[in-house]
Amino acid sequence: MGKNKILVVDDEIKLLALIKNYLEKEGFVVFAADGGQKALDIFEIQKPDLVVLDIMMPDVSGYDVCKKICAVSKTPVIMLTAKAEEIDKLLGLELGADDYITKPFSLRELTARIRAVLRRVNRQSEHNTESEIPDHLLEYQDIKLDIKKKMVTRNGEVIELTPTEYKILEMLISNQDMVFSRLQILEQVLGDYYEGYDRSLDTHISNLRKKLGDDPIKPNYIKTVYGMGYKMGG
């Protein structure tokens, strides 16, 4: 098995070099970019397995880079920033980021989070490969989820979801009528490191319901089981 390729993006040159050197010693192939546009150029050429992305950059912001990456791929993104406000974390997650780490941080913690996200992605990939699903389709009522294309439709119309929303929907629609606790969903969707993001799950569920055209008061698709969690239908 080849080494995982990591793209690290940060305009702090010394920190960028420090992260690159540390991750290389940990066995990763690392590409470094000190700006947003440079990061997008490297991403297109190198096709990394994961992106560590700083938000505050002078040319193209980390938010914009994250949005562009998530629009064309399912490559996981870990946001890296000095901002600690919850709204900043939620914005990054809404744009498709898989995890969020606030400066200052230890390189050991960053490495652990990278490995946790990669493990989750690999588990999901293995699950999709092993599943014998005709035409790679999952269905619930008028909703169809194409695992191969990572596409969701309702009555034939494509529904644009963020990567996080897609993962939540895939988890629920794959296990219809099964109740999942908030903790189970967070561990499966956000990876091993989810502390501080638990309240964002409500936002993701709310956005999913809106995009699916569901009634927020009496939902037909994603239902709340009070005191327990969420389930698909039933």
Side-chain angles (χ1 to χ4, degrees):
M1 181 181 295
K3 295 181 178 181
N4 287 116
K5 297 189 294 184
I6 310 296
L7 171 59
V8 181
V9 189
D10 199 308
D11 63 335
E12 295 182 46
I13 303 301
K14 290 184 179 180
L15 178 60
L16 183 63
L18 192 65
I19 295 174
K20 183 177 186 296
N21 291 336
Y22 189 90
L23 292 180
E24 286 177 340
K25 291 178 181 178
E26 290 294 312
F28 297 102
V29 175
V30 183
F31 304 98
D34 58 6
Q37 187 55 55
K38 185 176 180 180
L40 291 171
D41 293 340
I42 294 175
F43 180 86
E44 184 176 355
I45 296 171
Q46 299 296 342
K47 302 293 190 294
D49 299 300
L50 182 143
V51 179
V52 177
L53 178 62
D54 184 36
I55 288 180
M56 303 300 290
M57 288 184 291
D59 55 349
V60 182
S61 76
Y63 290 132
D64 289 334
V65 173
C66 180
K67 186 176 181 179
K68 290 179 180 180
I69 287 175
C70 292
V72 298
S73 78
K74 297 298 179 182
T75 303
V77 177
I78 296 178
M79 302 299 282
L80 186 67
T81 183
K83 290 189 173 184
E85 291 81 1
E86 184 179 29
I87 186 64
D88 297 308
K89 296 179 181 180
L90 292 179
L91 179 55
L93 293 172
E94 282 298 304
L95 291 174
D98 293 78
D99 201 354
Y100 202 110
I101 185 169
T102 304
K103 299 176 182 178
F105 57 87
S106 73
L107 293 175
R108 288 183 63 185
E109 180 186 8
L110 175 61
T111 304
R113 293 197 181 207
I114 288 172
R115 288 188 168 132
V117 172
L118 288 173
R119 282 198 303 271
R120 176 181 56 75
V121 171
N122 289 336
R123 285 197 301 266
Q124 187 64 45
S125 177
E126 290 172 0
H127 171 75
N128 290 345
T129 300
E130 294 170 359
S131 298
E132 296 181 1
I133 304 173
D135 299 325
H136 305 280
L137 286 179
L138 296 174
E139 296 186 15
Y140 179 76
Q141 296 185 16
D142 53 0
I143 296 174
K144 291 185 179 181
L145 187 150
D146 190 318
I147 295 176
K148 190 173 183 179
K149 296 180 180 179
K150 301 293 183 184
M151 183 174 68
V152 176
T153 60
R154 178 171 179 254
N155 290 325
E157 294 187 7
V158 176
I159 300 174
E160 297 294 338
L161 301 180
T162 67
T164 300
E165 291 166 355
Y166 175 88
K167 293 168 191 171
I168 293 172
L169 182 61
E170 182 179 0
M171 180 180 183
L172 295 176
I173 204 171
S174 297
N175 302 275
Q176 296 172 25
D177 295 326
M178 183 179 294
V179 179
F180 289 97
S181 69
R182 296 166 61 87
L183 180 60
Q184 287 174 314
I185 296 174
L186 288 165
E187 286 182 334
Q188 176 69 23
V189 173
L190 298 182
D192 296 349
Y193 291 86
Y194 55 84
E195 292 183 359
Y197 306 142
D198 56 310
R199 281 179 289 178
S200 72
L201 180 59
D202 297 329
T203 301
H204 291 310
I205 294 293
S206 176
N207 289 339
L208 255 178
R209 285 171 171 162
K210 289 178 183 177
K211 292 180 179 181
L212 295 174
D214 212 353
D215 184 342
I217 306 300
K218 297 182 66 176
N220 184 46
Y221 302 123
I222 302 175
K223 298 191 176 182
T224 302
V225 182
Y226 292 99
M228 298 181 67
Y230 297 98
K231 69 173 183 175
M232 194 75 177

